[in-house]
Amino acid sequence: MSRKPWDLAFLAVPEEVAPLRRIVRLRLELWGLQEATDTAQLCVSELVSNVITHVGRGTPTTLAVSMNGTRLRIEVHDPDTRALPTLLDASDDSEGGRGMALVGAMADRWGVQLHADRKVTWCELATSLISPSGHTGGAGVARAGALLSAYGSTRVAPYASLSTSTLVAETAVNAITDLLHWLQAHGRDVDEALERAQTHFEAEACARKDQL
């Protein structure tokens, strides 16, 4: 799966936080990283709120999301190189410090990079990926992803107008349908095959839950 870096320029005002959270959620769904959605959204909220509070409302800001190996990297760029975020041991009644403390607690790591014209406050979230272009869910999901990638290249045309996630789902349905035709053509019981597949799926899903 290709996960190309993307960025979005915006003005740092409270009204922009909710739309940014929605965009991040949609992007991570397309990337197959639903597991990181809640944490990523919260980190985006805190990093943007930090700019609003310490740099100023209306500051031209950029959100950038990418992969650093198997980690999800979130960056917020702003033009003020003087207001540096710090991680404070904020008490319950503290006025500040809790935002970056939250980021520090949730992220695998975080930091600040200073450039001549801007600073970049970033954090990275660990994922369950085993390779940067791989899939979450283990070897079975990775094998299915490779199969669908090859299979989909032969049947893209009828669904070219669909979104990426819908196209992948349609490809999966078509692949399952063709496999059932293959089983039938070779004299196998389609219903029995479906029942066995469902049994295997439920057993593996239960095993994964027990491991959590």
Side-chain angles (χ1 to χ4, degrees):
M1 174 181 289
S2 175
R3 299 182 176 93
K4 296 181 180 180
W6 64 274
D7 58 72
L8 179 66
F10 64 96
L11 296 180
V13 293
E15 295 78 12
E16 288 289 343
V17 174
L20 288 170
R21 288 170 59 93
R22 288 195 293 270
I23 291 170
V24 168
R25 175 177 58 79
L26 291 172
R27 177 62 59 172
L28 295 188
E29 286 178 354
L30 290 175
W31 282 3
L33 295 177
Q34 292 89 337
E35 61 178 273
T37 299
D38 290 343
T39 303
Q41 286 183 312
L42 188 51
C43 286
V44 167
S45 296
E46 298 302 336
L47 291 175
V48 174
S49 295
N50 190 72
V51 175
I52 296 171
T53 302
H54 298 289
V55 182
R57 291 183 177 229
T59 299
T61 309
T62 298
L63 171 67
V65 179
S66 61
M67 297 300 299
N68 182 17
T70 59
R71 291 187 177 93
L72 176 67
R73 184 178 178 92
I74 299 169
E75 299 177 352
V76 170
H77 301 226
D78 73 74
D80 192 338
T81 59
R82 299 166 301 170
L84 301 182
T86 56
L87 194 158
L88 303 178
D89 184 14
S91 60
D92 292 341
D93 57 353
S94 295
E95 291 297 326
R98 280 179 286 183
M100 292 311 299
L102 278 173
V103 172
M106 294 182 298
D108 198 42
R109 54 191 183 185
W110 77 280
V112 181
Q113 294 175 328
L114 294 179
H115 300 270
D117 59 343
R118 71 191 190 282
K119 74 169 177 288
V120 178
T121 308
W122 59 270
C123 66
E124 292 183 353
L125 309 180
T127 71
S128 60
L129 295 174
I130 58 175
S131 68
S133 59
H135 296 263
T136 60
V141 175
R143 289 193 298 269
L147 174 64
L148 291 175
S149 178
Y151 183 88
S153 64
T154 66
R155 300 194 63 164
V156 168
Y159 308 102
S161 62
L162 299 179
S163 67
T164 301
S165 58
T166 303
L167 177 59
V168 172
E170 284 291 339
T171 301
V173 170
N174 289 332
I176 293 169
T177 302
D178 286 350
L179 286 171
L180 293 177
H181 284 305
W182 185 90
L183 287 168
Q184 187 177 57
H186 287 77
R188 300 302 179 92
D189 188 324
V190 171
D191 290 333
E192 180 186 359
L194 284 173
E195 289 178 4
R196 289 177 60 191
Q198 183 69 24
T199 299
H200 290 169
F201 172 77
E202 291 174 352
E204 291 177 359
C206 288
R208 283 196 297 270
K209 287 181 179 179
D210 292 340
Q211 293 172 357
L212 296 178

